[in-house]
Amino acid sequence: MSGEALENERRDVRQLLGKKLNGYDTLSGAETSAIEDAMGSCRLFDANADLVRVGESPDFSTLILNGWAARYKSTEEGARQITAVHIPGDFVDLHSFLLRPMDHSVVALSSCRVAMFPHHRLRVITERHPHLTRLLWLNTLVDAALHREWLLMMRLRAGNHLAHLICELYLRLDAVGLISNRAFEFPITQAVVADMLGISPVHVNRALQEVRARELLTWQNKIVTILKWEELKAFAQFDPTYLFQEKLPR
Amino acid sequence: MSGEALENERRDVRQLLGKKLNGYDTLSGAETSAIEDAMGSCRLFDANADLVRVGESPDFSTLILNGWAARYKSTEEGARQITAVHIPGDFVDLHSFLLRPMDHSVVALSSCRVAMFPHHRLRVITERHPHLTRLLWLNTLVDAALHREWLLMMRLRAGNHLAHLICELYLRLDAVGLISNRAFEFPITQAVVADMLGISPVHVNRALQEVRARELLTWQNKIVTILKWEELKAFAQFDPTYLFQEKLPR
DNA sequence: CGCCTTGTTGAAAACACTCAACTAGAGTGG
DNA sequence: CCACTCTAGTTGAGTGTTTTCAACAAGGCG
């Protein structure tokens, strides 16, 4: 890789992590440098490639620069349950820093560029930067909060559940600047959404028809457009508190 | 509270936290003292009392000394989804140290004695004890792993799901010495189990009948007894990896 | 004893699943 | 350019699981 490309990637990381962690609490200059210095090389994954597999103990954690990824587990019958969706700026795999071996796998949902953070460098951060450590910890706690909301949402009917997923993605994408004109690119098939919602692909299609019939959103050609945000939120029982997007001192 | 009672509680905390955190990695003497010093007063909660409510920002985290607790969220219709069950030795609410305000509530499932750890003292730990900080962080990551497994288990049929819940509780209770003769006290009604599994109370009863018919376990008078552990595990598709009960250097 | 909670059962309705067929579109190779 | 193929999306019909509602039994406790 050329020095220039590396420099571009470092700039991307700086911008994305800045948006992400600064969304929780202000980073000092020293902290910003510390996290940048912790970054290792970057890698490109094709859609459907596993970034990490269950049972492995990677010695690095990954941050998404662009593209979509998901964490998932599978039943014995081979049914896949996606437990979280990840978008640019997400520290997908910070868990593997402390939680070994992996209890789940991570897959690229689209082609996906990621930055690797070697665990030994993250450890240095925990030794020298307590405030930054708390922000990284917080980052994993927000993931847990998403899991809890997803558990609750399993109680909704398919249509409401689908709407809720879209609401969550809409706000998270907005936080990293990936929304324009109330629309976002959604490079995901209905079958994959089925694995997120825990229902069959056929039923995703029917749930989608309900949401379309209510004219809450459109989803065509890999583009989702929100038509009526307030109505969509109400239909989805969506309360964004669990995303923890407001800044509070930590 | 008398000095003697306080001394007893400190001893309980030492023993429970010792079992818990030492299960992840060995604590030094200084670390053991640090966590003991972080402990504040204790409180007793009646069954069905909320320890913390959604929207609040408590300035302490709680460790269960005895009794059962659960974290839960509710839908607009009032359906309650329990996202995690907590038993003695669990740091129920370590999340609230960094994640404010609470995205969920915590309820005592039985009468419940808890130790409070003021956040400002936990913060001191993060400033001075990086290794202990990583263990506390890890503790919250294991909770997230439980959430993920619960999400996956939502795909199982009610009977298998119920069996899985019992398997998880069996191993976790065993880790804190609350199993004897393959049996444990389960001070929980079928209605509460329904809120854990995300199904109706009536269906819990039918799921229980299936498990009983297979003679995998008995559940009478608040006592659950495992009859055929291996068969129960197989029926539940239970793989204990996600509990992270083996010790690894962190 | 009566009351309340908890557990249990039956029957009908709601919801989601499977299977199968079919459409539309993108991409490929002749 | 047209067939061919593959994937993704859509629809219908029949099946299975879970829910709801209602009733009733069993036990604890005032």
Side-chain angles (χ1 to χ4, degrees):
Chain A
M1 173 169 302
S2 75
E4 192 188 342
L6 182 61
E7 213 29 67
N8 285 341
E9 278 164 347
R10 290 183 69 86
R11 198 195 55 232
D12 286 356
V13 169
R14 187 159 51 240
Q15 287 180 354
L16 280 167
L17 265 178
K19 273 186 185 137
K20 183 83 182 182
L21 296 178
N22 265 313
Y24 299 136
D25 197 17
T26 307
L27 289 184
S28 71
E31 287 169 342
T32 306
S33 314
I35 193 80
E36 281 177 23
D37 292 346
M39 176 186 156
S41 59
C42 289
R43 279 187 68 186
L44 196 60
F45 289 88
D46 288 332
N48 300 317
D50 280 332
L51 279 68
V52 199
R53 286 207 182 83
V54 60
E56 295 177 349
S57 297
D59 55 4
F60 55 86
S61 291
T62 53
L63 174 86
I64 301 188
L65 297 178
N66 61 49
W68 292 61
R71 296 194 270 154
Y72 71 92
K73 305 186 72 153
S74 301
T75 64
E76 288 177 3
E77 295 85 16
R80 176 174 79 163
Q81 177 64 46
I82 291 176
T83 60
V85 183
H86 289 291
I87 60 173
D90 283 355
F91 233 129
V92 199
D93 197 23
L94 195 43
H95 307 71
S96 71
F97 171 42
L98 296 173
L99 210 57
R100 292 190 299 273
M102 293 287 293
D103 66 307
H104 62 280
S105 303
V106 181
V107 65
L109 294 180
S110 67
S111 100
C112 202
R113 196 159 56 99
V114 304
M116 331 270 268
F117 289 75
H119 288 163
H120 62 87
R121 297 193 196 164
L122 293 176
R123 173 184 279 254
V124 170
I125 289 179
T126 66
E127 306 282 347
R128 296 187 194 158
H129 297 279
H131 175 254
L132 179 55
T133 300
R134 289 195 297 270
L135 289 190
L136 292 173
W137 184 354
L138 173 59
N139 197 49
T140 64
L141 293 178
V142 173
D143 277 355
L146 299 202
H147 291 338
R148 284 190 289 275
E149 183 75 7
W150 279 38
L151 271 167
L152 180 65
M153 288 306 122
M154 288 286 178
R155 295 200 162 241
L156 296 189
R157 298 208 206 316
N160 310 267
H161 196 175
L162 173 61
H164 190 279
L165 175 68
I166 300 295
C167 287
E168 176 183 315
L169 292 175
Y170 184 70
L171 288 196
R172 289 172 59 198
L173 289 164
D174 193 37
V176 285
L178 290 174
I179 299 292
S180 53
N181 297 323
R182 307 216 133 202
F184 60 90
E185 200 189 330
F186 193 46
I188 303 293
T189 65
Q190 291 182 8
V192 174
V193 171
D195 291 342
M196 296 175 188
L197 302 183
I199 61 180
S200 69
V202 171
H203 208 57
V204 168
N205 188 279
R206 293 185 164 131
L208 178 56
Q209 288 172 39
E210 184 188 359
V211 180
R212 286 210 261 244
R214 291 170 179 269
E215 300 185 329
L216 300 173
L217 56 83
T218 64
W219 175 11
Q220 312 162 4
N221 305 322
K222 309 286 179 197
I223 304 283
V224 170
T225 306
I226 309 298
L227 299 179
K228 301 176 186 165
W229 175 240
E230 291 303 327
E231 286 83 346
L232 182 65
K233 272 172 63 178
F235 180 67
Q237 300 197 9
F238 182 74
D239 173 355
T241 312
Y242 76 99
L243 295 174
F244 294 92
Q245 292 185 328
E246 300 122 61
K247 189 180 284 199
L248 287 170
R250 310 282 167 184
Chain B
M1 173 170 298
S2 76
E4 192 187 342
L6 181 61
E7 216 25 70
N8 286 341
E9 278 166 348
R10 291 184 68 86
R11 197 195 54 231
D12 287 354
V13 169
R14 187 158 52 240
Q15 287 181 354
L16 281 168
L17 267 177
K19 273 186 187 138
K20 183 84 181 177
L21 296 178
N22 266 313
Y24 299 136
D25 196 18
T26 307
L27 289 184
S28 72
E31 287 170 341
T32 306
S33 313
I35 192 80
E36 280 177 24
D37 291 345
M39 175 186 156
S41 59
C42 290
R43 279 186 66 187
L44 196 59
F45 289 89
D46 288 333
N48 300 317
D50 280 332
L51 278 70
V52 199
R53 286 208 182 82
V54 60
E56 295 178 349
S57 298
D59 55 3
F60 55 86
S61 291
T62 52
L63 174 86
I64 301 188
L65 297 177
N66 61 49
W68 292 60
R71 295 194 269 153
Y72 70 93
K73 306 187 72 154
S74 301
T75 65
E76 288 177 2
E77 296 86 15
R80 176 174 77 164
Q81 177 64 47
I82 291 176
T83 60
V85 183
H86 288 291
I87 61 174
D90 283 355
F91 233 129
V92 198
D93 197 21
L94 196 43
H95 306 71
S96 71
F97 171 41
L98 296 173
L99 209 57
R100 291 190 299 273
M102 294 287 293
D103 65 306
H104 62 278
S105 302
V106 181
V107 64
L109 294 179
S110 68
S111 100
C112 202
R113 197 160 55 99
V114 303
M116 331 269 268
F117 288 75
H119 287 163
H120 62 88
R121 296 193 196 165
L122 293 176
R123 172 184 280 254
V124 170
I125 289 178
T126 67
E127 306 281 347
R128 295 187 195 158
H129 297 279
H131 175 254
L132 180 54
T133 300
R134 289 196 296 271
L135 289 189
L136 292 173
W137 184 354
L138 173 60
N139 198 50
T140 64
L141 293 178
V142 173
D143 278 355
L146 300 201
H147 291 338
R148 285 191 288 274
E149 183 76 7
W150 279 38
L151 272 166
L152 179 66
M153 289 306 123
M154 287 287 178
R155 294 200 164 240
L156 296 188
R157 292 221 205 63
N160 310 267
H161 196 175
L162 173 62
H164 190 279
L165 174 69
I166 299 295
C167 286
E168 175 182 316
L169 293 175
Y170 184 71
L171 288 196
R172 288 173 60 198
L173 289 163
D174 194 37
V176 285
L178 290 174
I179 300 291
S180 53
N181 297 321
R182 308 216 132 201
F184 60 90
E185 202 188 331
F186 193 47
I188 304 292
T189 65
Q190 291 182 8
V192 174
V193 170
D195 291 342
M196 296 176 189
L197 303 183
I199 60 180
S200 68
V202 171
H203 208 58
V204 168
N205 188 277
R206 292 182 167 133
L208 178 57
Q209 288 172 37
E210 184 187 359
V211 180
R212 286 209 262 243
R214 291 171 179 268
E215 300 186 327
L216 300 173
L217 56 82
T218 63
W219 176 11
Q220 314 164 2
N221 305 322
K222 309 286 179 198
I223 304 283
V224 170
T225 306
I226 310 297
L227 299 179
K228 301 176 186 166
W229 175 240
E230 291 303 328
E231 286 84 345
L232 181 65
K233 272 173 63 178
F235 180 67
Q237 301 197 7
F238 182 74
D239 173 353
T241 312
Y242 76 100
L243 295 173
F244 294 92
Q245 291 185 329
E246 300 121 59
K247 190 180 287 201
L248 287 170
R250 311 281 166 186

